[in-house]
Amino acid sequence: MKEFILNILRGIVIGISNVIPGVSGGTMMVSMGIYDRLILVLTHFVKRMKEAVALLVPIAIGMLLAIALFAKLFSEVLFPRFPLQTNLFFIGLILGGLPIIYRKVKGVSIKLPQVLAFLLFFMLVTVLAVVGEGGGADADITLSIGNVLKLFFVGVVAAATMVIPGVSGSMIMMILGYYNTIIDTINACIDALRAFDIPALLDTFIVLVPFGIGVVIGIVAVAKLVEFMLKKFPAVTYWAIIGLIVASPIAILIMMEIGTIGVIEILSGVILLAAGFCISMKIGA
């Protein structure tokens, strides 16, 4: 039961991370020490069904709770009103996971391929943050075969980037112009469920069903790719992941909308940074 509750909490963190531009759900998976296990059960679901269900169900519950209860709070209240403190909290969560991933490469000699992997993926995240800054225009979701295929493709890309540590799926959706559309549709779906408004609920399915199918396919495909890389080139892959993680706080700060910053904001931000670090260390496996 303790592990079940812990995985729900992990799912909440991952769920919130996946709807916040600049914050990577994949990074949070690494920070909480469950990334390797998730990749394993996703790529061998049938063979490890009991283990997969035990891990994925509570995480899925936590992610759904996060989207239903906290996503709007973070995106509409905390980030707009307390950008520094909220962003520093997430940076603390990210930094708290670095010791966990560093243990994977500790004692292994660092060679040129590892250095190049670190630098390449560090630059990738930083460049994506600069390119994605200020994006997020609404996309056309009029019912048509073309738009259904686009939503499926966006779901595949978003899911792929959600699985890769350091790369924000929400940030990629902003670049593609679908972030506001997907978030607004999810909120409309939640509102329709609360009001038990079936016609409004069915309207949201036009967007969420093709997007959701793309998400599932994207997660499985990238999980298999990551598993292959970890088996064949473990040291290079882990240093690439470290590069992605180290770049994440920089990407968050680049995308952050700076409000009024005073002594209180800085002090409270530092406290939340430390709190995020401690939480990540505590719930990390």
Side-chain angles (χ1 to χ4, degrees), residues 21 130-138 171 173-177 179-180 255:
V130 173
V131 172
E133 195 174 6
D138 290 331
M171 184 170 66
M173 285 199 293
M174 287 185 72
I175 295 171
L176 296 174
Y179 177 75
N180 289 338
M255 296 191 70

Side-chain angles (χ1 to χ4, degrees), residues 24-271:
S24 167
T27 299
M28 293 306 168
M29 295 174 199
V30 175
S31 296
M32 292 179 290
I34 59 171
Y35 187 75
D36 291 1
R37 288 170 59 200
L38 277 172
I39 294 296
L40 185 64
V41 298
L42 284 170
T43 53
H44 301 281
F45 184 83
V46 176
K47 291 181 180 179
R48 296 174 173 266
M49 186 173 291
K50 185 176 180 181
E51 181 185 353
V53 171
L55 180 63
L56 295 176
V57 168
I59 288 176
I61 291 171
M63 291 179 69
L64 291 172
L65 283 173
I67 293 170
L69 302 176
F70 302 115
K72 188 176 288 188
L73 172 66
F74 273 86
S75 62
E76 296 183 8
V77 180
L78 296 180
F79 271 93
R81 296 185 184 180
F82 311 101
L84 180 66
Q85 296 96 320
T86 309
N87 278 292
L88 286 177
F89 175 72
F90 276 98
I91 288 173
L93 287 173
I94 293 168
L95 295 178
L98 269 177
I100 295 172
I101 192 66
Y102 180 71
R103 292 190 203 118
K104 305 285 186 180
V105 294
K106 188 177 181 181
V108 179
S109 59
I110 301 174
K111 299 178 181 178
L112 182 60
Q114 286 93 309
V115 174
L116 291 176
F118 175 88
L119 292 175
L120 176 63
F121 285 90
F122 178 91
M123 291 174 62
L124 172 66
V125 173
T126 307
V127 170
L128 283 174
V130 173
V131 172
E133 195 174 6
D138 290 331
D140 176 22
I141 54 171
T142 307
L143 182 59
S144 69
I145 294 175
N147 284 336
V148 168
L149 291 174
K150 285 180 184 178
L151 284 163
F152 170 78
F153 171 75
V154 170
V156 171
V157 174
T161 52
M162 287 173 190
V163 173
I164 299 171
V167 183
S168 167
S170 297
M171 184 170 66
I172 298 300
M173 285 199 293
M174 287 185 72
I175 295 171
L176 296 174
Y178 278 82
Y179 177 75
N180 289 338
T181 299
I182 298 299
I183 291 298
D184 290 345
T185 305
I186 290 173
N187 288 332
C189 180
I190 293 168
D191 292 339
L193 280 171
R194 287 172 180 165
F196 203 68
D197 186 342
I198 302 301
L201 187 64
L202 292 175
D203 284 341
T204 65
F205 286 177
I206 295 171
V207 174
L208 297 182
V209 169
F211 177 77
I213 293 172
V215 166
V216 173
I217 292 175
I219 287 174
V220 174
V222 174
K224 287 187 175 295
L225 174 61
V226 171
E227 183 192 35
F228 171 80
M229 294 298 294
L230 286 173
K231 281 184 177 179
K232 296 292 184 180
F233 314 101
V236 172
T237 304
Y238 279 122
W239 274 108
I241 291 173
I242 291 172
L244 292 168
I245 294 173
V246 172
S248 291
I250 298 173
I252 291 173
L253 293 174
I254 288 173
M255 296 191 70
M256 182 177 68
E257 295 182 5
I258 301 175
T260 303
I261 297 179
V263 176
I264 294 176
E265 286 77 16
I266 293 172
L267 288 175
S268 57
V270 170
I271 291 171

